[in-house]
């Protein structure tokens, strides 16, 4: 209850500050807020929100998985991109419906292996995970950029993008919404994570490790093994998200298309804000997605400078982080 | 393969990264994982240019950059310390805010979109170090940088001495290592963390000043272009030790400069983009492998 | 909840005043209030006749109050010197004067005959030495009022005696010492007066001269406690734990040097020794937490090459010395702490899934059986008092019903009523046919419970005594490295 | 829907055509996109209609903005930038009533409701290269380009070819910015330019975006070499350092294209090069004297380059498009 109130208060405070900013630039704050809400949840906006929420929630969950054990995966971007490019590479080779499955699997596998490699860098080579995941991310992104410019480039265009996947390797679309069946794949991943986290010994051991590495070691949890497995799960899900994105419109890998929307960083934000709790992570991801598509709607409707939208979003996140901090702090002090 | 001028330009280019990385190291030692370096640096860039333009002197700009960085880092300080928000979440938001805010300010303050530059904008002049500038190769590499470049070099030993030998530095490290123990000895944990974050803000401001008034003389939206993130990597690589951070930044700067050179020899740009990271990772492997060998014998 | 309820406590200058009470009675809470770590809801503190109020430790320190908290507050990465002078550093030309600091610390170490080296890293020190660093911190600050929350819990009798000499000197110097302890003999040995807390209330304040220990125990627990219980000997059966030539190296030093020992089913083997002579490493190596040369057998099975999890699965339970970080997760719920080790088998696990009700029931069973006082099984572990955390951990490990239990400092920080309870449990566990390796700094505990006693000195087992031939004096000599030829 | 509502602007009486411009990136610093905004404003003014600008940040928002624009059912949707190919094709097929003007690229298939306007920048770059070739003393020219993609190689390869055309000994060294913000990193652009200068290059084509080029110009100034700008006249940014600019008249092209569509000329592909005056050099414009460009001091060079231009217009010289190789 108190959590709800504090959060609501934070949103309200941010909105107030936003209103002042908007008014200062001559826009009508009420119109602006209405367009944000309608843009995020209205009949036209909701599909946009969900379309953005799918990769964000997927990445948020992917990054939450190791975070539960106190392990931070900063390499989500590389895993996402490798998953996507692998999915396209396989999808272009394997024809028919089998291609969908093969492409998705390839995405999962690529992401999982790459993340597991980062984990091995820590467990076997002594490079801290934070560093190994982050550093490995860049070459992966560069590799994909190279592939779509040279060996895998779309011969029909001069753009850094792959060929389009054949129609039978497209994920089934959901009506006219711009959404694909990828929505269900990501949802399923979230549910599996929630169940594993709360109800299985493996999830329990991950949480134990998050509580304290020395306690985990004492309890017989093999930390290197756990690290590798959790990172593999994390990277696998990130790879799946990449695959899901490229198996949807425009059905190809475009260089930068997975980086500029900041799926990974917004996802990490959501996971951290929710302390990696499965449901909280999902909710935070949805919230950020709504904020983003609402922001675009605001710009379209009112031509408010986009800088202002970015400022509004940042202010809201700052207030929210402070509010959750207060909540956690209070719980800690109790 | 690399001439002196190139080394010199690499040194100048890594200065913003070095300043920001020192800032990050300071916070790290106080127990705050500061990833708002990028945004704070950007605010420093803007304030530096605005200060220099309206103050009429580049030093007004440098001062404005440091002050603006300090003031801006209050957001992170209040959020993480007073409100106990998550430092990473707040850091990301602070970065986001900086991009929006500075782009917005360019429009309102300078009345142009995106970029402000003017031939009359005063930038940092290169300093000729007497004596050193005559030394053949070294002189060309080490002399002729802006005052902030030399300040950043000076900042490394200063920070090392501060952390290792100044009472405040000792207390700061304790605060980072075990806050409740520090508190039980009467050391005001929150105040030290505020101090670290604000000082880091000033350093990031200087990083911005060097970038916008030293490396180039202009402001352009989002011109930090990921340097703050490289600084975060350098903090992690250098284990938040001043000299470690310096080594990481130099390694990075040289790998990048070498990458540019290799691009000229026909390596694809994507490979040279990745080069600094790969080089760093390999260096880490070698380093940690050597340590493991040493430990096992 | 009410941790302190209208406590009145008056201590004279130059007095050593003992504070006793059951686990969770509110002793640490009271001391934390004195030191400014917590603020009272009501009531006043007077220091030398003046009313004071500390809203932070800094104010308390400035007023001459110093405190050693229960558990440790050291910076592991820093040297002993840096730990001691932290927050009150000597300076020269604005910088830390390490030479002066080292000299001051060395002087204190020598004056009080402590076994510490100023340059050692705190994180590398054994628990006993860490406690000494904590005391050095107070001495260095020249506190007028010293608050010590269970300082002797981790010390050997000899070390405790040395501490008491220091405390007496300080008292003679006009300083006031408030000493929290669970050990009756310490109260009579150093205390001039004692106050007993129970459920946050003072139940007794008396001079220690001519104090009746039974009355003291009754004031603490509210019931009669049989303090002089004698346990019957065990009936050893087959070898349950066999250790051969176990060696642990740290740098060039052999911290555990070629140790061999055997524990049989139905037997308690005690390990005595001054802290820092390899006992902790012995336990960690047996548990699989520390890589070691040599062999370890559980029953017939050689587990030397196996990890912690496999050793536990092969029948090893383990109560570690450090309950704050190793034995428990302070921020996690009590129920989750107690589920560890049971989470991969029924009844907690059914059809591959953990059952929340079963986790709770399991925790409640342990809490009830071992008399753990806790706000509830869903409360975070760290809200339990120190002694109750210990009971909870011991309870969890006993409930494993493993053939071999390795237990280190089982009653450290546990109140006398509970000590008796834990001892009874351990003996009952032995009598049920389990093997126990008991490491304790408490000589009386080792003597009272063990069927055989091993003495460790500088990483080696230097003496072995059967139950009937073990006496405190001979063991004390062996602990100091003096063995009969 | 009154024209003032929601901040859209225009000079029409509310009955004129409605136009929506969708950009692939925030307009911000981007000279090319700024010209596009100018173009849509001019088109609205010319036709007495209204216009709105939807700025995207990434492929996902490009998609959403185009869909949102289609929902608004304006008379013409203008999309600028190569990133729109897939979305425009998809939406044009689904909404045959909706008219699109696609600038700077074209869909793979043709649609009756998609009018394309593409540029032949490489012709202008070739001419700039010729200027560099005539001026260079070291016979080394270079190019600083934001990204190594075929699209962007239109700014490097023809520059070298132009130089070779007039000075066979000339050679080209291109460098690409890359990094995490290739379109807005003046610092890196400057460092790369210094790298070229160290190799002896004395004339550099700057295709590092508007702000990146400022870095190129600064390095040029410090190293005593010369640079070329893009999209608009960048000479005033660094007088004495910028030789000339390859200008791309996006504004004119958009205004023309919209007018043509409104007139019923729909579904064609219009290509703008030197001949159509969609691409040009500042130096070949009448206002060259006041442009603050270095080339204004070299009438002899301008004369030769003017001849080359005429050859291209006449078709006697044809410049290869690197993006088609
Ligand atoms: N000590 C451990 N540390 C980390 N993860 C573990 C550990 N033990 C088991 N797991 C994870 O939990 C899952 C289920 O464990 P379970 O014990 O049922 O599997 P298992 O096949 O018996 O284990 P093992 O492979 O060790 O024999 C394993 O697949 C593994 O992913
Ligand atoms: N943060 C907290 N939140 C809730 N209850 C707490 C907290 N800290 C302590 N308590 C409760 O206050 C009571 C007194 O605790 P305290 O630590 O003072 O006991 P103690 O007498 O020092 O016990 P011990 O001898 O075991 O150290 C206990 O019941 C404990 O559970
Ligand atoms: Mg206590
Ligand atoms: Mg098994």
């Amino acid at each position: 209850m108190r959590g709800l109130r504090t959060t609501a208060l934070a949103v309200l405070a941010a909105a107030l500050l936003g209103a002042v900013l908007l008014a200062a630039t001559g826009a009508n704050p009420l119109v602006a807020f209405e367009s944000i809400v309608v843009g995020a949840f209205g009949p036209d906006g909701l599909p946009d929100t969900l379309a953005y929420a799918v990769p964000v929630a997927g990445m948020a969950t992917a990054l939450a998985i190791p975070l539960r054990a106190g392990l931070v995966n900063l390499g989500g971007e590389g895993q996402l991109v490798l998953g996507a490019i692998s999915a396209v590479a396989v999808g272009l080779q394997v024809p028919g419906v089998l291609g969908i499955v093969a492409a998705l699997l390839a995405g999962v596998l690529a992401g999982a292996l790459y993340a597991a490699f980062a984990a091995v860098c820590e467990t076997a080579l002594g490079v801290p995970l934070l560093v190994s995941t982050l550093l490995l991310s860049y070459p992966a992104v560069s590799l994909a950029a190279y592939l779509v410019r040279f060996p895998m480039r779309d011969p029909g265009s001069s753009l850094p993008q792959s060929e389009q996947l054949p129609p039978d390797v497209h994920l089934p679309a959901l009506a006219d919404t711009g959404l694909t069946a990828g929505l269900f794949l990501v949802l399923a991943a979230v549910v599996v994570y929630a169940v594993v986290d709360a109800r299985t010994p493996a999830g329990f051991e991950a949480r134990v490790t998050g509580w304290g590495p020395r306690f985990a070691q004492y309890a017989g949890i093999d930390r290197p093994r756990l690290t590798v497995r959790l990172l593999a799960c994390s990277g696998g899900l990130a790879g799946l998200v990449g695959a899901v994105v490229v198996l949807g419109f425009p059905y190809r890998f475009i260089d930068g298309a997975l980086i500029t929307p900041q799926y990974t960083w917004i996802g990490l934000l959501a996971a951290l804000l929710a302390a990696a709790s499965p449901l909280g992570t999902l909710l935070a991801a949805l919230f950020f997605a709504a904020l983003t598509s609402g922001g675009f709607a605001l710009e379209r409707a009112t031509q408010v400078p986009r800088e202002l939208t970015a400022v509004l979003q940042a202010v809201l996140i700052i207030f929210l982080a402070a509010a959750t901090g207060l909540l956690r702090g209070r719980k800690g002090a109790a | 393969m690399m001439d002196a001028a190139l080394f010199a330009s690499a040194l100048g280019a890594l200065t913003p990264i070095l300043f920001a990385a020192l800032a990050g190291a300071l916070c790290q030692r106080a127990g705050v994982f500061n990833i708002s370096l990028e945004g704070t640096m950007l605010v420093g860039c803007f304030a530096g240019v605005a200060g220099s333009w309206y103050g009429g002197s580049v030093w007004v700009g440098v001062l404005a950059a440091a002050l603006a960085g300090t003031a801006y880092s209050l957001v992170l300080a209040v959020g993480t310390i007073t409100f106990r928000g998550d430092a990473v979440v707040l850091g990301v938001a602070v970065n986001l805010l900086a991009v929006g805010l500075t782009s917005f300010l360019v429009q309102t303050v300078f009345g142009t979109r995106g970029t402000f530059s003017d031939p009359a904008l005063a930038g940092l002049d290169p300093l000729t170090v007497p004596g050193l500038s005559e030394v053949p190769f070294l002189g060309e590499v080490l002399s002729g940088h802006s005052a902030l470049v030399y300040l950043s070099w000076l900042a490394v030993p200063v920070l090392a001495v501060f952390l290792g030998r100044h009472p405040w530095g000792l207390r700061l490290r304790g605060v980072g290592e075990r806050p409740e123990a520090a508190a039980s000895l009467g050391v005001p944990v929150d105040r030290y963390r505020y101090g670290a974050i604000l000082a880091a803000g000033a350093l990031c401001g200087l990083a911005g000043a060097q970038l916008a008034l030293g490396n180039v003389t202009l402001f352009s939206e989002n011109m930090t272009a990921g340097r703050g993130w490289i600084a975060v990597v350098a903090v992690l690589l250098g284990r938040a030790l001043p000299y470690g951070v310096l080594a990481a930044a130099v390694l990075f700067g040289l790998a990048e400069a070498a990458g540019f050179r290799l691009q000229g020899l026909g390596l694809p740009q994507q490979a040279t983009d990745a080069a600094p990271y790969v080089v760093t990772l390999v260096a880490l492997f070698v380093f940690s492998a050597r340590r493991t060998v040493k430990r096992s014998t | 909840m009410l941790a302190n309820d209208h406590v009145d406590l008056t201590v004279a200058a130059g007095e050593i005043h003992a504070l006793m009470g059951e686990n969770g009675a509110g002793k640490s809470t009271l001391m934390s209030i004195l030191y400014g770590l917590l603020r009272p809801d009501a009531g006043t503190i007077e220091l030398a006749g003046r009313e004071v109020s500390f809203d932070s430790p800094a104010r308390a320190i400035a007023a001459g109050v110093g405190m050693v908290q229960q558990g440790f507050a050291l910076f592991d990465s820093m040297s002993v010197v840096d730990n001691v002078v932290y927050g009150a550093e000597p300076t020269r030309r604005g910088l830390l004067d390490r030479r002066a600091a080292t000299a001051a610390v060395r002087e204190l170490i020598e004056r009080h005959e402590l076994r510490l080296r100023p340059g050692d890293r705190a994180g590398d020190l054994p628990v006993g030495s860490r406690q000494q660093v904590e005391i050095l911190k107070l001495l260095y600050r020249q506190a007028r009022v010293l608050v010590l929350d269970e300082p002797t819990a981790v010390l050997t009798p000899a070390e405790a005696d040395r501490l008491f000499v220091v405390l007496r000197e300080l008292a003679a110097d006009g300083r006031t010492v408030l000493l929290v302890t669970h050990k009756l003999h310490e109260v009579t040995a150093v205390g001039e007066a004692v106050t007993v807390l129970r459920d946050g209330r003072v139940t007794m304040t008396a001079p220690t001269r001519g104090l009746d220990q039974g009355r003291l125990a009754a004031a603490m627990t509210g019931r009669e406690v049989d303090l002089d219980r004698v346990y019957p000997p065990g009936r050893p059966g087959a070898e349950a734990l066999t250790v051969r030539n176990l060696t642990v190296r740290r740098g060039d030093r052999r911290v555990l040097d070629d140790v061999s020992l055997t524990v049989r089913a139905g037997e308690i083997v005690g390990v005595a020794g001054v802290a820092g002579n390899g006992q902790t490493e012995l336990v960690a190596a047996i548990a699989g937490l520390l890589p070691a040369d040599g062999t370890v057998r559980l029953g017939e099975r050689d587990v030397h090459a196996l990890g912690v999890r496999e050793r536990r699965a092969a029948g090893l339970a383990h109560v570690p010395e450090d309950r704050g970080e190793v034995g428990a997760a302070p921020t996690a719920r009590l129920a989750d702490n107690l589920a560890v080790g049971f989470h991969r088998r029924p009844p907690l696990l059914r059809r591959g899934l953990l059952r929340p009700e079963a986790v709770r029931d399991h925790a409640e069973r342990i809490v009830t059986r071992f008399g753990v006082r806790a706000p509830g099984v869903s409360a975070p572990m760290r809200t339990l008092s120190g002694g109750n955390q210990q009971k909870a951990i011991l309870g969890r490990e006993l409930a494993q019903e493993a053939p071999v239990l390795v237990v280190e400092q089982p009653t450290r920080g546990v109140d006398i009523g509970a000590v008796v309870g834990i001892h009874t449990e351990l003996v009952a566990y032995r009598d049920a046919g389990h093997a126990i390796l008991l490491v304790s700094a408490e000589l009386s505990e080792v003597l009272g419970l063990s069927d055989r006693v091993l003495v460790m000195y500088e990483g080696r087992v230097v003496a072995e005594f059967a139950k009937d031939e073990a006496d405190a004096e001979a063991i004390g000599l062996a602990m100091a490295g003096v063995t009969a030829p | 829907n009154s024209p003032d509502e929601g901040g859209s602007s225009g000079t029409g009486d509310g009955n004129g055509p409605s136009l929506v411009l969708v950009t692939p990136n925030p307009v911000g610093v981007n000279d090319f996109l700024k010209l596009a905004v100018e173009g849509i404003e001019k088109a609205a003014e010319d036709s007495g209609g209204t216009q709105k600008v939807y700025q995207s940040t990434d492929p996902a928002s490009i998609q959403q903005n185009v869909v949102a624009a289609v929902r608004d059912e304006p008379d013409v949707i203008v999309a600028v930038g190569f990133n729109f190919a897939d979305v425009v094709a998809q939406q044009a097929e689904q909404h045959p009533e909706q008219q699109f003007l696609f600038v700077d690229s074209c869909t793979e298939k043709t649609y009756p409701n998609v009018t394309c306007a593409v540029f032949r920048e490489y012709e202008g770059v070739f001419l700039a290269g010729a200027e560099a070739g005539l001026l260079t003393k070291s016979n080394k020219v270079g190019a600083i380009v934001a990204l190594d993609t075929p699209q962007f190689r239109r700014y490097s390869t023809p520059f070298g070819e132009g130089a070779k055309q007039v000075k066979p000994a000339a050679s080209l060294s291109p460098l690409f910015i890359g990094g995490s913000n290739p379109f807005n990193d003046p610092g890196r652009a400057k460092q790369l330019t210094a790298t070229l200068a160290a190799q002896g290059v004395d004339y550099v084509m700057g295709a590092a975006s508007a702000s990146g080029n400022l870095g190129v110009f600064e390095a040029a100034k410090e190293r005593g070499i010369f640079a070329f700008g893009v999209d608009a006249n960048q000479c005033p940014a660094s007088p004495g350092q910028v030789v000339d600019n390859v200008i791309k008249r996006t504004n004119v092209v958009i205004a023309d294209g919209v007018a043509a569509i409104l007139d019923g000329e729909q579904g064609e592909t219009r290509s703008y090069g030197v001949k159509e005056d969609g691409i040009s050099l500042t130096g070949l414009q009448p206002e060259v004297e006041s442009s603050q460009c270095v080339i204004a001091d070299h009438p002899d060079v301008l004369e030769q380059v003017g001849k080359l231009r005429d050859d291209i217009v006449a078709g006697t010289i044809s410049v290869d498009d690197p993006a088609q190789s």
Side-chain angles (χ1 to χ4, degrees), chain B residues 19-286:
Chain B
F19 266 130
L22 291 174
L26 188 65
C27 289
Q28 191 89 324
R29 296 315 284 273
V32 179
F33 186 36
N34 187 347
I35 59 164
S36 71
L37 307 174
E38 173 93 358
T40 315
M41 201 196 306
L42 188 60
V43 168
C45 290
F46 178 81
V49 168
S52 173
W53 181 247
Y54 289 105
S57 148
V58 69
W59 295 109
V60 177
V62 171
L63 192 70
L67 290 179
T70 312
Y72 188 66
S73 61
L74 259 179
V75 178
L76 180 72
V78 173
T80 52
I81 301 168
T82 307
F83 289 98
R84 295 184 217 184
D86 185 280
V88 175
V89 175
L90 280 161
V92 171
V94 160
N95 287 334
L96 215 69
L97 181 63
V99 177
L101 202 63
T102 51
S103 310
F104 188 67
L105 284 175
V106 179
Q107 286 173 50
T108 47
V109 174
F110 295 115
T112 70
R113 284 201 76 142
T115 302
F116 174 77
S117 85
D118 193 295
L121 178 66
L124 288 160
D125 292 324
L127 295 183
T128 310
V129 183
L132 180 63
S133 55
E134 276 104 69
V135 182
F137 180 81
L138 272 186
E140 217 184 316
V141 173
L142 297 178
S143 182
H145 292 289
S146 80
L148 285 186
V149 172
Y150 297 113
L151 187 65
S152 75
W153 297 352
L154 192 67
V156 176
V158 166
L159 187 64
V161 168
F162 173 77
L163 285 174
R165 304 209 29 222
H166 196 279
W168 293 356
L170 180 74
R171 293 181 198 176
L172 189 86
R173 285 193 283 130
V175 164
E177 182 171 341
R178 201 148 181 189
E180 65 301 339
S184 79
L185 288 168
V187 169
V189 172
D190 287 358
R191 222 176 297 161
Y192 273 84
R193 289 203 167 142
Y194 261 96
I197 295 180
L198 295 188
L203 285 171
C204 285
L206 291 178
Q210 166 64 23
L211 183 60
L213 296 172
N215 295 8
V216 292
T217 313
L218 58 92
F219 178 82
S220 173
E221 77 181 25
N222 212 358
M223 70 186 289
T224 41
R227 287 175 178 79
W229 290 102
I230 294 172
V232 171
V233 175
V235 172
L236 296 174
L237 288 179
R239 285 160 200 268
L241 302 167
Y243 289 106
V245 160
L246 172 70
V250 168
L251 178 71
F252 214 87
L254 290 183
E256 199 176 58
F260 293 163
R261 201 61 209 248
L262 289 174
Q263 214 192 88
L265 300 179
L267 221 62
Q269 166 230 322
Q270 294 78 31
T272 59
D273 271 2
Y277 302 97
V278 176
V279 167
T280 313
L281 201 63
V282 170
L284 274 177
F285 286 163
V286 173

Side-chain angles (χ1 to χ4, degrees), chain A residues 177-240:
Chain A
T177 54
L179 288 163
T180 64
L183 173 71
F184 300 114
L185 288 175
V186 168
L187 262 184
V190 172
V191 171
V192 168
Y193 171 48
V195 171
V196 169
D197 176 68
R199 299 291 302 275
T200 67
F204 181 71
E205 287 180 358
R207 279 186 287 143
V208 169
T209 309
W211 295 328
R214 292 183 66 196
F215 179 51
Q217 189 195 10
Y218 158 80
I221 295 168
D222 182 349
R223 187 184 166 89
R225 200 167 87 164
L226 184 80
T227 304
V228 173
R229 287 181 185 190
L230 286 177
L231 260 287
C233 292
S234 177
L237 182 50
L240 177 72

Side-chain angles (χ1 to χ4, degrees), chain D residues 47-72:
Chain D
S47 61
T50 60
Q51 53 84 16
K52 284 187 182 185
V53 180
Y54 293 178
Q55 305 183 37
S56 324
T57 54
D58 56 80
S61 62
I62 285 175
Q63 153 93 355
Q64 290 172 9
N65 275 332
V66 173
V67 171
V70 169
R71 262 197 312 260
D72 289 354

Side-chain angles (χ1 to χ4, degrees), chain A:
Chain A
M1 261 313 81
R2 181 195 271 157
L4 257 167
R5 209 166 37 185
T6 312
T7 311
L9 224 67
V11 174
L12 206 72
L16 227 84
L17 189 60
V20 172
L21 279 173
L22 283 165
T25 57
N28 179 346
L30 285 180
V31 174
F33 287 136
E34 190 196 330
S35 62
I36 291 185
V37 173
V38 172
F41 301 110
D44 291 336
L46 196 58
D48 283 359
T49 301
L50 288 179
Y52 188 64
V54 167
V56 169
M59 288 310 290
T61 306
L63 301 176
I65 290 170
L67 200 58
R68 209 54 166 159
L71 307 169
V72 183
N73 175 7
L74 286 182
E77 227 150 58
Q79 295 144 21
L80 175 76
V81 166
L82 272 194
I85 193 85
S86 311
V88 168
V90 170
L92 286 171
Q93 301 306 319
V94 183
V97 184
L98 199 65
I100 298 186
V101 179
L104 289 172
L105 279 179
V108 171
L109 209 65
L113 285 177
Y114 202 59
F117 175 59
V120 170
C121 284
E122 169 172 280
T123 58
L125 300 169
V127 179
L129 192 68
L130 216 58
V131 176
S132 68
T133 49
L134 185 62
L135 285 182
L136 280 172
S137 189
Y138 295 93
V141 173
S142 295
L143 175 69
Y146 175 79
L147 289 177
V148 292
R149 282 188 176 88
F150 301 102
M152 282 177 67
R153 72 173 271 214
D154 177 16
S157 105
S158 59
L159 305 179
Q161 62 184 24
S162 74
E163 259 180 278
Q164 212 162 30
L165 291 166
D168 46 357
V169 194
H170 297 179
L171 275 177
L174 305 184
D176 201 16
T177 54
L179 288 163
T180 64
L183 173 71
F184 300 114
L185 288 175
V186 168
L187 262 184
V190 172
V191 171
V192 168
Y193 171 48
V195 171
V196 169
D197 176 68
R199 299 291 302 275
T200 67
F204 181 71
E205 287 180 358
R207 279 186 287 143
V208 169
T209 309
W211 295 328
R214 292 183 66 196
F215 179 51
Q217 189 195 10
Y218 158 80
I221 295 168
D222 182 349
R223 187 184 166 89
R225 200 167 87 164
L226 184 80
T227 304
V228 173
R229 287 181 185 190
L230 286 177
L231 260 287
C233 292
S234 177
L237 182 50
L240 177 72
V241 172
V244 161
V245 172
V246 292
L247 293 188
F249 184 80
Y251 314 109
R252 55 166 114 229
F253 184 96
I254 304 175
D255 186 34
L258 291 161
I259 308 289
T260 30
Q262 306 260 306
Y263 297 137
T264 309
W265 296 106
I266 305 282
L268 183 63
L269 223 56
L272 286 168
L273 209 55
S277 103
L279 187 67
T281 301
L282 179 66
L283 285 179
L286 282 175
F287 176 77
F288 286 133
L291 200 60
T292 303
S293 60
F296 278 112
L298 168 69
E299 259 177 61
R300 284 195 297 259
T302 64
Q303 302 275 295
V304 160
R306 57 159 296 101
E307 291 77 18
L308 202 62
T309 331
V311 169
L312 278 181
Q313 292 183 359
V315 167
L316 196 73
I317 296 171
I318 288 171
F319 277 84
L320 214 59
T324 50
L326 271 185
L327 285 176
R328 256 181 247 165
R330 230 183 257 146
K331 250 185 258 157

Side-chain angles (χ1 to χ4, degrees), chain D residues 253-308:
Chain D
V253 166
I254 288 180
D256 281 2
V258 169
I261 292 174
L262 292 176
D263 284 348
E265 293 172 39
Q266 297 160 351
E268 23 186 279
T269 295
R270 301 151 158 262
S271 175
Y272 294 87
V274 168
K275 181 176 171 191
E276 296 79 9
D277 213 24
I279 295 289
S280 184
L281 297 182
T282 307
L284 298 176
Q285 300 299 307
E287 63 271 16
V288 58
E289 288 307 327
S290 61
S291 66
Q292 295 182 283
C293 291
V294 172
I295 197 71
D297 306 333
H298 296 278
D300 48 325
V301 171
L302 276 179
E303 193 180 322
Q304 295 189 50
V305 171
K307 279 190 197 127
L308 279 177

